[in-house]
Amino acid sequence: MKAVVLLSVIFLIQAAAVVSSADKEYDDDGEEYTSLEVPLLPESSDFDDFLSYGFYRKSCPGVDRIIHQKLKQWYDEDNTIAASIIRLHFHDCVVRGCDASILLDYEGSERRAPASKTLRGFEVIDDIKAELEKKCPKTVSCADILTAAAREATILVGGPYWTVPYGRRDGVDSIGSETGLVPMGLEGITDLIERYQSLGLNLVDLVVLSGAHTIGRASCGSIQSRLYNYSGTGKPDPSMSTSYVNFLRRKCRWASDYVDLDATTPNKFDNAYYTNLPKKMGLLPSDSALYTDRRTAPIVKALAYQPSLFRLQFAVSMAKLGNVQVLNDLFEGEIRTNCSCRNY
């Protein structure tokens, strides 16, 4: 219990600068467009000298409003797109940083790699980009669009708000073999810790960003061995409860089917992901490992006991993720006019 209290204090200190859901939200030209209120912020970002909250204030006023409105149109048609956009953003940032390299579409690119075959949301980003090109040609990067879209997707499913500094440039390279860096849910905790540290993220970020599994789905094919033949034993994974295994077997009639990552409240952004883990209801091996590993278990418990803690820290960790290894020098990358292809 002492560990949980200490972690709570640390989380609250980290989250002190994060803006959470309120009543109204305004874009950078002062126009109201959602149900959040954003206080005045400094022009520069704490994350990087070259990213700023007012980067598009003069060159493309209203960029936040456009991203929000376009994404909401897609969400109203298919609410599962929110989780897909958050996942797309994660895949992008893990490989080469947040440079929209995942959006490039050509033979041998990240987008066409096996690890990316279940990614969705490309057409959403293209739609947003097309709208912004009409208003502000050759101005807003695809990397900024994807980062802000992940924030807006989180809000649409009931998650927290955080400020997104702008100024990222788009990468010009995308190498499919590098998608091996993306965690796929099969890794051990030590491996995950090392991967996150290489991105400048810490143990808390690892556990909190895993909480994005409070929404979204996974393919049944990815868990078949856990249900029927764990480590060649011919039996289910013992780290899953019998009732949960039976539930998943009923849901997963075919490997091509999909199953919710959070079996209790799959369409709600909450901390049920963490309360499920002590009940042996982690869908992916890495989910279950978060509760059984002594390094991550105390953080899981803290987030399970205090829902508000998860919301606050999720905003902090997502802000950090969005600033991983960004390109921000005029001599780095480019501003694509089409997110799926380079300008040259």
Side-chain angles (χ1 to χ4, degrees), residues 22-36:
D23 296 322
K24 295 180 180 179
E25 182 174 298
Y26 300 87
D27 64 36
D28 47 22
D29 63 0
E31 184 174 347
E32 179 183 335
Y33 74 94
T34 68
S35 59
L36 302 170

Side-chain angles (χ1 to χ4, degrees), residues 280-340:
K280 295 186 174 184
M281 293 175 61
L283 184 68
L284 305 177
S286 59
D287 294 329
S288 298
L290 289 176
Y291 185 71
T292 57
D293 190 283
R294 61 182 179 81
R295 293 165 293 182
T296 51
I299 305 174
V300 170
K301 293 176 183 177
L303 297 170
Y305 292 148
Q306 301 175 72
S308 61
L309 208 55
F310 170 51
R311 292 181 61 86
L312 289 171
Q313 186 59 38
F314 188 80
V316 173
S317 295
M318 283 294 286
K320 290 176 65 177
L321 174 67
N323 291 277
V324 167
Q325 300 169 7
V326 297
L327 303 176
N328 48 36
D329 191 282
L330 289 177
F331 300 101
E332 295 180 308
E334 63 183 9
I335 304 299
R336 290 182 217 143
T337 56
N338 183 327
C339 290
S340 65

